[in-house]
Amino acid sequence: MHRKESEKQDRLIAAPSQRRQLILEPVSGGSGETGAWSAALTDCRARTLKAIAGINQNELDWQPPLCANTIGTLLYHIALIEADWLYTEILERPIPEDLKAILHLDDRESNGELTTIRGETANQHEQRLARVRDEFLQALGSMTLTEFRRVRHLPDYDVTPEWVVLHLMQHEAEHRGQIIVLRKSLKQVDQGAT
């Protein structure tokens, strides 16, 4: 048997039984481009949830010496910023009171750092993220492409919902990277202590 054939056989044997699907499936209610963007947002959130799968309270609340943020802080910030962009820029109205009830803390402390969040469970963070994302996807699902691309003229800048979606995916991805690093750092600290 030739070497290439042998290597091919080895890969076939080691291949997973299920083929990975790298496909954006439109989210229910969305169609066309808004449906594709909704699917991209959903994929982005799935990656964040995977990054915090099995997280414990110590990991959520741990704050390393040279970092201002806990993982809980970053999760709260992701939800709060998403809600703010949805209501302020896209829908152009205040955040509803029932949503404010789960986003009651300001984004930043007086020193400019993110408001530190400790003591909230993974379930609380996941429910908050889901609630905000559900509202976001509902808004996108009912939006025409014209409305999705309509420029909103705010006091300091002009913005479209299309740009907001791109920005939010980048924002979440950047913080997801921080979350992954924080989890790995704590494991290294714990391993060094034993």
Side-chain angles (χ1 to χ4, degrees), residues 144-155:
T144 65
L145 184 57
T146 301
E147 184 64 11
F148 186 59
R149 292 194 169 143
R150 179 178 66 82
V151 178
R152 276 71 166 157
H153 302 284
L154 299 164

Side-chain angles (χ1 to χ4, degrees), residues 14-21:
S17 61
Q18 248 185 347
R19 186 173 175 85
R20 281 181 54 202
Q21 298 291 310

Side-chain angles (χ1 to χ4, degrees), residues 37 40-41 44-45 48 77-86 88-90 107-108 114 133 136 140 148 154 157-176:
W37 281 106
L41 278 167
C44 181
R45 180 55 49 81
T48 299
H77 173 72
I78 290 167
L80 179 61
I81 295 305
E82 184 171 322
D84 186 58
W85 279 100
L86 171 62
T88 302
E89 281 78 6
I90 294 178
D107 184 47
R108 297 193 180 266
L114 295 180
R133 181 52 54 87
F136 205 101
L140 284 185
F148 186 59
L154 299 164
Y157 51 87
D158 297 332
V159 65
T160 64
E162 186 173 39
W163 184 90
V164 168
V165 171
L166 172 66
H167 173 71
L168 287 173
M169 286 190 294
Q170 290 174 322
H171 178 257
E172 185 165 336
E174 290 164 2
H175 287 310
R176 179 172 56 249

Side-chain angles (χ1 to χ4, degrees), residues 18-71:
Q18 248 185 347
R19 186 173 175 85
R20 281 181 54 202
Q21 298 291 310
L22 303 175
I23 300 167
L24 289 175
E25 295 289 338
V27 175
S28 63
S31 63
E33 288 195 47
T34 59
W37 281 106
S38 294
L41 278 167
T42 301
D43 180 72
C44 181
R45 180 55 49 81
R47 291 168 187 253
T48 299
L49 294 176
K50 183 177 178 183
I52 62 168
I55 198 165
N56 63 45
Q57 197 64 47
N58 186 46
E59 290 175 295
L60 282 168
D61 294 343
W62 181 66
Q63 191 167 9
L66 299 176
C67 181
N69 300 317
T70 66
I71 292 174

Side-chain angles (χ1 to χ4, degrees), residues 101-114:
I102 62 170
L103 297 166
H104 59 280
L105 299 173
D106 288 337
D107 184 47
R108 297 193 180 266
E109 302 281 351
S110 59
N111 65 1
E113 299 290 335
L114 295 180

